Amino acid sequence: MSPVTRTDTQSPAPAVADSHDLIRVHGARVNNLKDVSIEIPKRRLTVFTGVSGSGKSSLVFGTIAAESQRMINETYSAFVQGFMPTLARPEVDVLEGLTTAIIVDQQRLGADARSTVGTATDANALLRILFSRLGKPHIGPPSAYAFNVPSVRASGAITVERGAKKAVKATFNRTGGMCPRCEGRGTVSDIDLTQLYDDSKSIADGAFTIPGWKSDSWWTVRTYAESGFLDPNKPIRKFTKKEMRDFLYHEPVKVKVEGVNLTYEGLIPKIQKSFLAKDKESLQPHIRAFVERAVTFTTCPECEGTRLSEGARSSKIKRVNIADACAMQISDLAEWVRGLDEPSVAPLLETLGQTLDSFVEIGLGYLSLDRPSGTLSGGEAQRVKMIRHLGSSLTDVTYVFDEPTIGMHPHDIERMNNLLLRLRDKGNTVLVVEHKPETIVIADHIVDLGPGAGTAGGTVCFEGTVDGLRTGGTVTGRHFDDRASLKKTVRTPTGALEIRGATRHNLRDVDVDIPLGVLAVVTGVAGSGKSSLVQGSLVNGSAAEGAGVVSVDQSAIRGSRRSNPATYTGLLDPIRKAFAKANDVKPALFSANSEGACPTCNGIGVTYTDLAMMAGVATLCEECEGKRFDASVLEYHLGGRDISEVLAMSVAEALEFFGTGEARTPAAHTILGRLADVGLGYLSLGQPLTTLSGGERQRLKLATHMAEKGGVYILDEPTTGLHLADVEQLLGLLDRLVDSGKSVIVIEHHQAVMAHADWIVDLGPGAGHDGGRIVFEGTPADLVAARSTLTGEHLAAYVGG
């Protein structure tokens, strides 16, 4: 066939479809946004920047991405929508030009006990199919290699209702890979009974020492006392063998207590369901302390921590079973998969190889597939989510990233930048919320929000190129080329924490002395062993015994729309007591979660109308007008303000209000001072935690931990979510902590913190089994002078050394 020849000489007029090259936002008012109107170019890399709390996430995630997802959900049938999360339309007048949004955020991967890196991606599913096809001996289908699937056997009669009913004998078998002893968790728990009850007392005398189990509580203690299985007036130590067995291990059974049907169950299974089935990090602090005190977790002796049944461990490919494969470093596993030459599963091997290569490409080759997903940092979790998108054939979609360089060494940021540019060059729109100058500088378009945070932010201060930002006069522009300089003199240590023979994860018998009385920074490329060294040896190890360690890690703050900075930090307690004392009433009246709540909205401030599969409607409560309190409570005043007016104050306003005059409350003033110290002076006391950015939540946690009495503070990447202008304030806070006699140890990649340190411990030289060694110990000036490590080279470039 001959090629078609064109006869027209003039270029055709541009198609109308090609004119839709902008995402238009008009009148956005989500959270603190003040009628923001903006046009974002499609198929370009746009970076959104601005101080923490300026409204970046509200614009990108709360407006653009949220509306895109809501509209996609509406394309499904009403039946399907009933199973999906319902999303309300964002507060915005006009949104045009949206494309399908793929959100890659910092939300932690599920911290379920059975969730691993392999199960959170497609890698484990592909490996299970591979072993079910090639494993010798053959033990069954892919489910036989799954530690989340128990083996099931059943037999008996079933009734078939088809025409004339008849009973048919049937048997059912399903082979699963779950270890029956630990139920796929890899660890078994041992409960210390002395932490559950005082055996010298009877149940009626209040023998239980479990948090929340009061002697008159219906659902727990009364059930045991009046079940008929036990004598409630006999000391527990005098129970017979049968009574003890019923007390500790009895199967669930219905009992009647004062005419009410309740379930009686042995104490140990009840504790396991109530406390151990939940993610430990999601428990309230006093409950978590109880669990840590009462329960010890040891490696399962039957499966040796592999989570798998004996059958799954016996099936091998080239002398490697699936547990060995999942325990390999992913970069090594990728090599092993490439070495398998089996035409019958060639497409499977190719897909699995590409998935594993994506891990390596994105800088996570040091992980293993059996790593619990709850142990990943926010940055690692975000990169794991990126993996499924790297090889995607989709184009003309909008990728939305939330600080993708979090937890990255400067050496790795360049690799991340290349990935963002690759996604853009395939014809996608890439929207990135970011603070790091190294990523801002590669943007095609920059949107700077501000000028301040909270109510002082929410407007667009600048739109344009990097060069325009530098001369634009905004806070970001002024601080864009800021560089912390090396200290001329460093502090002298007052002692040292000795770590000897550290071997956790990839550490190679590490010996190191961490100096006390100074600002010490532990750094190194991602996966080099920093957290293993600090968390394993200092936070949970013997090196810090008696040192009074206070650890501020990256675990998420959990809170409902009822939680706010005042409740989370404990600030509301002294405020309630001050109001109660001034008005001679009960403190509980001044809690929107207790007696003082508005009866119409139950203290939420809004009323919700559930519309099934459609987005529910939230309307301001007509009774309290969103103030959350009963009208009678608002008649009580302290310093001329009612409780709702106090909760509407910013931290800075409240600091002044509770510092002097009639409202002077030293306990509240102290907590507010800590919040101001970490740069949260603009937050309002009653702002729901669900509306805070990641950086704000991290600093809120830091402010709370500053109240703890400890001599050694360990901070895990405190610059997370911090704007360039805020880093300087953080350095000042770290200096004040050290100058007050504390020792501060920081796990950090930010060059400004490294340059400001008195002592640096650098791990490496690489990640995974290529790391785990100390490659440098000394002052930042010595590290810059030597340039013997990757960190040294990047720090020297940063300070211009």
Side-chain angles (χ1 to χ4, degrees):
M1 185 185 289
S2 60
V4 177
T5 55
R6 294 183 67 116
T7 55
D8 57 325
T9 53
Q10 292 184 335
S11 59
V16 176
D18 294 335
S19 65
H20 298 285
D21 55 358
L22 293 172
I23 296 173
R24 293 184 177 86
V25 182
H26 291 286
R29 296 177 299 280
V30 173
N31 297 330
N32 68 331
L33 296 179
K34 296 172 182 172
D35 266 327
V36 167
S37 297
I38 190 173
E39 295 185 342
I40 301 164
K42 288 185 183 177
R43 293 177 287 281
R44 298 290 183 272
L45 172 59
T46 301
V47 170
F48 295 79
T49 187
V51 296
S52 184
S54 60
K56 304 181 298 298
S57 295
S58 298
L59 177 59
V60 179
F61 291 93
T63 305
I64 299 170
E67 179 64 355
S68 173
Q69 289 214 310
R70 187 185 73 84
M71 296 185 81
I72 290 167
N73 288 0
E74 285 189 351
T75 64
Y76 298 109
S77 67
F79 174 76
V80 173
Q81 286 183 54
F83 296 96
M84 303 175 79
T86 54
L87 303 167
R89 188 181 188 279
E91 273 197 86
V92 60
D93 294 333
V94 180
L95 267 173
E96 293 178 341
L98 293 179
T99 67
T100 305
I102 295 175
I103 299 174
V104 188
D105 59 18
Q106 288 180 50
Q107 291 295 321
R108 295 302 179 99
L109 293 169
D112 182 86
R114 295 194 189 93
S115 177
T116 65
V117 170
T119 60
T121 59
D122 295 330
N124 257 36
L126 297 171
L127 263 183
R128 290 197 295 268
I129 299 170
L130 181 67
F131 273 86
S132 71
R133 301 297 185 269
L134 301 183
K136 297 285 190 297
H138 177 73
I139 61 165
S143 63
Y145 299 88
F147 57 75
N148 288 327
V149 181
S151 292
V152 179
R153 293 175 185 81
S155 62
I158 61 170
T159 301
V160 181
E161 295 192 11
R162 190 171 55 211
K165 290 184 185 178
K166 60 177 182 176
V168 180
K169 194 167 184 184
T171 59
F172 173 76
N173 284 306
R174 182 185 68 195
T175 305
M178 177 186 286
C179 167
R181 171 77 186 275
C182 65
E183 297 182 357
R185 289 185 173 90
T187 59
V188 288
S189 57
D190 186 22
I191 298 175
D192 182 358
L193 298 179
T194 63
Q195 298 293 333
L196 307 185
Y197 55 80
D198 179 353
D199 68 355
S200 66
K201 292 181 179 177
S202 68
I203 290 173
D205 289 336
F208 289 114
T209 56
I210 301 164
W213 285 37
K214 297 174 184 172
S215 56
D216 60 346
S217 61
W218 260 102
W219 58 96
T220 50
V221 179
R222 294 281 285 280
T223 311
Y224 285 93
E226 300 176 34
S227 63
F229 293 106
L230 316 164
D231 181 350
N233 298 306
K234 185 196 290 188
I236 292 174
R237 64 172 56 157
K238 293 187 177 177
F239 279 1
T240 63
K241 280 188 179 177
K242 181 180 184 312
E243 282 179 317
M244 205 68 192
R245 190 166 58 251
D246 288 342
F247 177 51
L248 293 177
Y249 301 108
H250 202 289
E251 293 288 316
V253 61
K254 292 290 180 189
V255 295
K256 196 161 264 194
V257 178
E258 293 184 16
V260 179
N261 286 324
L262 297 170
T263 301
Y264 176 86
E265 187 175 19
L267 185 61
I268 286 179
K270 192 166 189 70
I271 290 292
Q272 286 172 329
K273 287 178 185 173
S274 303
F275 300 115
L276 304 189
K278 298 174 183 173
D279 171 26
K280 195 165 72 171
E281 291 301 319
S282 68
L283 300 173
Q284 291 175 285
H286 69 288
I287 304 286
R288 193 186 321 155
F290 161 72
V291 171
E292 289 171 348
R293 196 171 61 242
V295 186
T296 54
F297 295 92
T298 53
T299 302
C300 174
E302 198 160 303
C303 67
E304 297 179 337
T306 62
R307 308 163 179 253
L308 290 158
S309 64
E310 188 177 352
R313 300 196 309 274
S314 69
S315 180
K316 299 184 177 182
I317 302 172
K318 290 190 174 179
R319 300 190 297 281
V320 172
N321 66 26
I322 192 166
D324 299 331
C326 289
M328 284 184 193
Q329 185 166 305
I330 288 174
S331 55
D332 295 338
L333 180 59
E335 287 291 326
W336 180 77
V337 168
R338 275 194 287 273
L340 299 176
D341 184 18
E342 187 61 50
S344 63
V345 290
L348 176 66
L349 289 174
E350 184 181 354
T351 305
L352 178 58
Q354 286 173 353
T355 302
L356 298 174
D357 287 339
S358 294
F359 274 97
V360 178
E361 185 180 5
I362 211 162
L364 294 177
Y366 59 87
L367 295 178
S368 58
L369 295 182
D370 63 2
R371 169 94 172 256
S373 59
T375 65
L376 298 180
S377 70
E380 287 172 331
Q382 185 166 215
R383 281 180 279 160
V384 165
K385 292 177 197 172
M386 281 184 74
I387 282 162
R388 64 179 66 251
H389 305 303
L390 288 183
S392 171
S393 303
L394 289 173
T395 61
D396 257 332
V397 298
T398 300
Y399 285 96
V400 187
F401 292 95
D402 189 6
E403 294 187 53
T405 59
I406 276 183
M408 280 194 154
H409 189 273
H411 176 67
D412 299 318
I413 289 177
E414 188 177 346
R415 182 185 288 173
M416 175 59 73
N417 286 347
N418 289 336
L419 290 171
L420 296 175
L421 293 172
R422 251 177 54 195
L423 285 172
R424 178 203 66 185
D425 292 345
K426 281 170 64 176
N428 298 305
T429 305
V430 182
L431 309 181
V432 183
V433 173
E434 188 55 85
H435 291 299
K436 293 275 177 70
E438 297 97 318
T439 300
I440 297 172
V441 81
I442 66 163
D444 301 309
H445 188 69
I446 293 171
V447 178
D448 190 18
L449 283 98
T455 54
T459 60
V460 174
C461 301
F462 171 83
E463 284 185 78
T465 62
V466 177
D467 291 335
L469 178 68
R470 282 192 163 102
T471 57
T474 65
V475 175
T476 306
R478 289 198 304 273
H479 290 272
F480 191 75
D481 293 309
D482 279 3
R483 296 291 182 267
S485 56
L486 295 172
K487 287 181 175 175
K488 290 186 169 60
T489 58
V490 294
R491 298 179 181 93
T492 305
T494 57
L497 288 174
E498 296 181 0
I499 298 174
R500 296 291 179 266
T503 54
R504 190 181 190 189
H505 296 148
N506 65 331
L507 295 177
R508 302 191 177 189
D509 205 23
V510 168
D511 295 339
V512 65
D513 292 342
I514 308 284
L516 294 175
V518 300
L519 174 58
V521 170
V522 179
T523 188
V525 295
S528 59
K530 304 181 297 298
S531 295
S532 300
L533 180 70
V534 176
Q535 300 290 341
S537 302
L538 295 182
V539 179
N540 304 316
S542 58
E545 281 181 14
V549 169
V550 175
S551 173
V552 187
D553 59 19
Q554 286 193 28
S555 59
I557 288 179
R558 289 172 174 82
S560 68
R561 57 174 173 255
R562 288 182 177 272
S563 305
N564 53 50
T567 58
Y568 181 79
T569 59
L571 171 65
L572 203 54
D573 289 334
I575 291 177
R576 279 198 300 250
K577 287 173 184 171
F579 265 94
K581 187 177 178 183
N583 295 281
D584 199 24
V585 290
K586 290 191 295 184
L589 283 175
F590 302 100
S591 169
N593 299 328
S594 186
E595 291 181 31
C598 166
T600 304
C601 65
N602 292 322
I604 297 175
V606 292
T607 52
Y608 286 91
T609 307
D610 185 10
L611 299 176
M613 75 283 177
M614 297 178 73
V617 177
T619 52
L620 199 68
C621 175
E622 293 178 1
E623 182 79 20
C624 67
E625 296 178 341
K627 293 181 178 178
R628 302 175 61 198
F629 290 89
D630 187 87
S632 61
V633 175
L634 300 181
E635 292 175 9
Y636 299 117
H637 289 79
L638 175 68
R641 305 284 186 100
D642 64 41
I643 184 68
S644 70
E645 290 172 329
V646 167
L647 290 176
M649 288 181 182
S650 69
V651 168
E653 287 176 80
L655 189 63
E656 188 177 336
F657 179 73
F658 287 107
T660 56
E662 182 197 341
R664 185 174 179 275
T665 310
H669 192 263
T670 302
I671 296 172
L672 288 162
R674 293 192 197 105
L675 288 168
D677 275 348
V678 296
L680 294 178
Y682 60 88
L683 278 190
S684 65
L685 305 186
Q687 185 175 337
L689 284 190
T690 50
T691 65
L692 300 189
S693 69
E696 286 168 337
R697 291 181 180 214
Q698 169 108 342
R699 282 182 284 161
L700 190 61
K701 187 194 291 190
L702 175 57
T704 308
H705 281 288
M706 282 170 64
E708 297 176 25
K709 288 184 169 62
V712 180
Y713 279 75
I714 294 176
L715 310 180
D716 191 356
E717 296 187 41
T719 59
T720 298
L722 280 190
H723 186 264
L724 299 162
D726 297 326
V727 172
E728 194 175 335
Q729 184 170 3
L730 174 73
L731 295 177
L733 173 64
L734 298 180
D735 277 340
R736 285 199 300 278
L737 283 172
V738 176
D739 292 339
S740 68
K742 312 287 187 189
S743 301
V744 180
I745 300 166
V746 183
I747 303 172
E748 191 55 84
H749 292 122
H750 201 296
Q751 297 101 315
V753 181
M754 292 184 213
H756 201 70
D758 299 304
W759 191 260
I760 286 185
V761 175
D762 192 12
L763 280 95
H769 55 49
D770 296 326
R773 292 190 290 265
I774 303 292
V775 292
F776 178 83
E777 291 177 80
T779 65
D782 290 341
L783 179 61
V784 167
R787 297 199 194 194
S788 55
T789 68
L790 284 171
T791 306
E793 289 175 18
H794 285 278
L795 185 58
Y798 175 83
V799 299

